[in-house]
Amino acid sequence: MTRDTEIFDIIRRERERQTRGIELIASENYVSDQVLEAMGSVLTNKYAEGYPGKRYYGGCEVVDLSERLAQERLKQLYGAVWVNVQPHSGAQANMAVFMACLNAGDKFLGLNLSHGGHLSHGSPVNFSGLMFHALEYNVREEDGRVDYDQLEQVARTEHPKLIIAGASAYSREWDYERIRRVADEIGAIFMVDMAHPAGLIAAGLLKNPVKYAHIVTSTTHKTLRGPRGGVILMGEDFPNPWGKTTPKGEVKMMSAMLDSAVFPGTQGGPLEHVIAAKAVAFGEALQPSYVDYQKQVQLNAAVMAEAFVDKGYKIISGGTDNHCMLVDLRTKFPDLTGKIAEKALVAADITTNKNMVPFDSRSAFQTSGLRFGTPAITTRGLKEDMMPWIVNLIDRVLGNPEDEQNILKVRQEVNAEMVKYPLFAW
Ligand SMILES: Cc1ncc(COP(=O)(O)O)c(C=O)c1O
């Protein structure tokens, strides 16, 4: 077959884009060459519906080994008792939990999307909000932290069957103990979606939700630094069996219900090449050097947040405990929307995303905020001394977002510096 130059040229351009710029999207990272190699392997050819040892296809003995390895490494990483490594994405992992724990129309409680929550925690345009009755809690306006009083009050009056902690744009540690207490009080299942801080948690730098929640979900591609995908985990104390009866009338164990909710409930054949790449990433996360990496992610974020504050920006909650931060542009540039800011920064090869801030006066399409994160630049090798330099470049762009000459000058400085941080071995 002739080489598909059209698509490989596009891939080359994307590799160049990733290499020349400063990547500040909080949910992105650069995987290792081994993760890429496993993902691009012959394992993509294999159908393996079912689970290791119980497949619906022949010839699965080899992929069984890699899926088991992924499971064992993931258990070790978080001290989990049971895991499922098949969800194709974070949203798929969440969908499986909903399917296992709730019936259509049941109430559940999650963080308000415009206060940092995720689509799959109850947005009206997502399955979670369309098929189930979504209730929400907020962050407090005065300090940008989760309003646990409000969470408890909604839980006690509405009696949701499931309470979700976890967010897409929240820079603080969670009070899992407090949420677990109210969940126990009302008989709800407590789920933590640790997609964003999963890598910091694996490195022991933030509290491990597996110790507090009945069920934990995650993506594997953010701070964790694996291939795109999802996982589900459970710790020691999940009720087993849970007591929910299946359509056939049997009472099933929660682990079995979650397994069936992933396959055949919401997915078909697992992506065994991605599962092998997850195994590689979990193996990397078990190495001592991974803790150094995550410490640097956290330090870079803290220094970056401080540099923003020094320049007169407002950071929601005043700082960060993890890898990300949400900047409210209104204090420094009241007329600048997140949409325009994102576009100007991208033109300067600084990639970030517009984001609503809590109690935003603008819509989700315009926004008053930008979200920044340090996982990718830290993988690239940038240390804390470079964070004020980055913030200064951002400030120069945002001060004159329409000035093309100014943007070009910043872009040249970005490109000249980033050449010093090689990215891919190939
Ligand atoms: C907290 C949280 N959960 C779930 C997801 C969904 O992950 P995916 O995009 O892999 O479906 C995200 C993605 O940003 C997230 O931030």
Side-chain angles (χ1 to χ4, degrees):
M1 230 167 65
T2 49
R3 186 168 168 80
D4 188 341
T5 48
E6 214 176 341
I7 196 71
F8 285 108
D9 189 49
I10 292 170
I11 294 173
R12 180 189 54 73
R13 283 173 55 197
E14 172 59 11
R15 190 171 61 223
E16 277 167 20
R17 189 197 67 79
Q18 291 187 14
T19 309
R20 68 170 184 259
I22 299 176
E23 180 53 70
L24 295 174
I25 293 182
S27 49
E28 292 190 11
N29 213 327
Y30 301 110
V31 297
S32 70
D33 290 332
Q34 289 193 84
V35 168
L36 279 181
E37 194 181 331
M39 234 183 323
S41 71
V42 294
L43 270 57
T44 193
N45 297 334
K46 189 71 200 100
Y47 241 116
E49 280 180 359
Y51 290 97
K54 291 171 287 181
R55 305 282 193 184
Y56 289 85
Y57 287 78
C60 292
E61 351 29 275
V62 183
V63 292
D64 275 5
L65 297 175
S66 79
E67 187 163 340
R68 283 210 172 98
L69 199 53
Q71 291 171 340
E72 288 316 311
R73 287 179 179 174
L74 182 61
K75 282 186 197 165
Q76 195 187 337
L77 200 53
Y78 293 99
V81 172
W82 171 92
V83 297
N84 186 310
V85 296
Q86 290 194 0
H88 300 332
S89 76
Q92 291 289 117
N94 290 345
M95 190 175 206
V97 175
F98 276 72
M99 181 142 172
C101 300
L102 303 177
N103 295 310
D106 277 350
K107 288 180 185 173
F108 73 98
L109 175 60
L111 179 62
N112 182 344
L113 180 63
S114 58
H115 286 217
H118 186 256
L119 273 176
S120 60
H121 301 178
S123 158
V125 294
N126 181 263
F127 79 88
S128 54
L130 287 164
M131 295 170 55
F132 303 93
H133 182 152
L135 304 162
E136 62 191 24
Y137 57 92
N138 293 331
V139 298
R140 292 183 296 240
E141 191 159 16
E142 60 277 19
D143 63 1
R145 296 187 183 236
V146 167
D147 189 342
Y148 292 98
D149 292 339
Q150 186 209 10
L151 184 157
E152 285 176 348
Q153 190 246 322
V154 179
R156 289 189 181 116
T157 45
E158 296 283 347
H159 286 264
K161 278 199 183 167
L162 173 74
I163 303 180
I164 303 177
S168 295
Y170 186 65
S171 60
R172 295 302 183 178
E173 177 63 291
W174 288 78
D175 192 346
Y176 299 129
E177 297 95 319
R178 191 165 170 187
I179 304 177
R180 176 61 190 258
R181 272 200 300 278
V182 74
D184 284 346
E185 186 189 314
I186 63 163
I189 297 169
F190 177 31
M191 172 193 131
V192 174
D193 178 346
M194 64 170 178
H196 262 266
L200 296 162
I201 292 164
L205 303 175
L206 292 173
K207 280 188 286 186
N208 183 352
V210 172
K211 294 187 182 146
Y212 306 96
H214 298 111
I215 304 169
V216 175
T217 59
S218 185
T219 55
T220 44
H221 48 271
K222 299 185 172 71
T223 48
L224 192 51
R225 207 166 58 180
R228 310 198 76 74
V231 289
I232 311 176
L233 309 88
M234 285 199 289
E236 295 276 358
D237 77 333
F238 56 92
N240 208 3
W242 189 265
K244 181 177 159 179
T245 44
T246 67
K248 282 191 191 157
E250 29 166 4
V251 179
K252 267 182 126 181
M253 305 222 288
M254 184 50 109
S255 52
M257 282 170 36
L258 286 166
D259 272 342
S260 352
V262 174
F263 172 83
T266 51
Q267 291 187 176
L271 310 176
E272 289 298 341
H273 56 307
V274 176
I275 290 172
K278 286 175 181 173
V280 174
F282 301 152
E284 290 172 354
L286 286 164
Q287 304 301 315
S289 59
Y290 188 76
V291 176
D292 299 334
Y293 161 65
Q294 295 293 352
K295 280 185 179 160
Q296 191 67 52
V297 168
Q298 208 174 24
L299 178 61
N300 283 351
V303 174
M304 181 178 279
E306 230 174 80
F308 272 119
V309 171
D310 287 349
K311 288 234 170 264
Y313 291 89
K314 179 181 172 187
I315 303 277
I316 302 301
S317 88
T320 178
D321 297 330
N322 56 28
H323 63 295
C324 73
M325 67 210 71
L326 196 50
V327 173
D328 187 340
L329 296 166
R330 292 173 299 185
T331 43
K332 185 151 183 180
F333 301 114
D335 298 328
L336 180 61
T337 64
K339 187 178 177 186
I340 290 172
E342 175 193 299
K343 192 161 172 259
L345 287 168
V346 167
D349 281 343
I350 300 171
T351 318
T352 177
N353 63 286
K354 64 177 181 294
N355 213 102
M356 283 185 92
V357 292
F359 308 96
D360 207 322
S361 43
R362 296 189 175 102
S363 74
F365 295 104
Q366 297 296 330
T367 84
S368 300
L370 288 173
R371 186 184 64 161
F372 295 101
T374 53
I377 46 163
T378 308
T379 296
R380 193 108 191 236
L382 276 78
K383 301 278 190 276
E384 67 275 17
D385 58 313
M386 294 299 283
M387 300 304 117
W389 171 73
I390 292 175
V391 170
N392 193 41
L393 294 172
I394 292 170
D395 188 54
R396 280 167 51 194
V397 172
L398 299 187
N400 284 297
E402 319 270 313
D403 180 344
E404 285 179 16
Q405 279 312 308
N406 177 45
I407 289 175
L408 178 65
K409 180 127 200 331
V410 171
R411 190 169 82 211
Q412 285 164 346
E413 287 175 46
V414 168
N415 299 158
E417 188 61 32
M418 296 317 283
V419 174
K420 300 177 195 162
Y421 298 87
L423 194 49
F424 302 110
W426 43 281

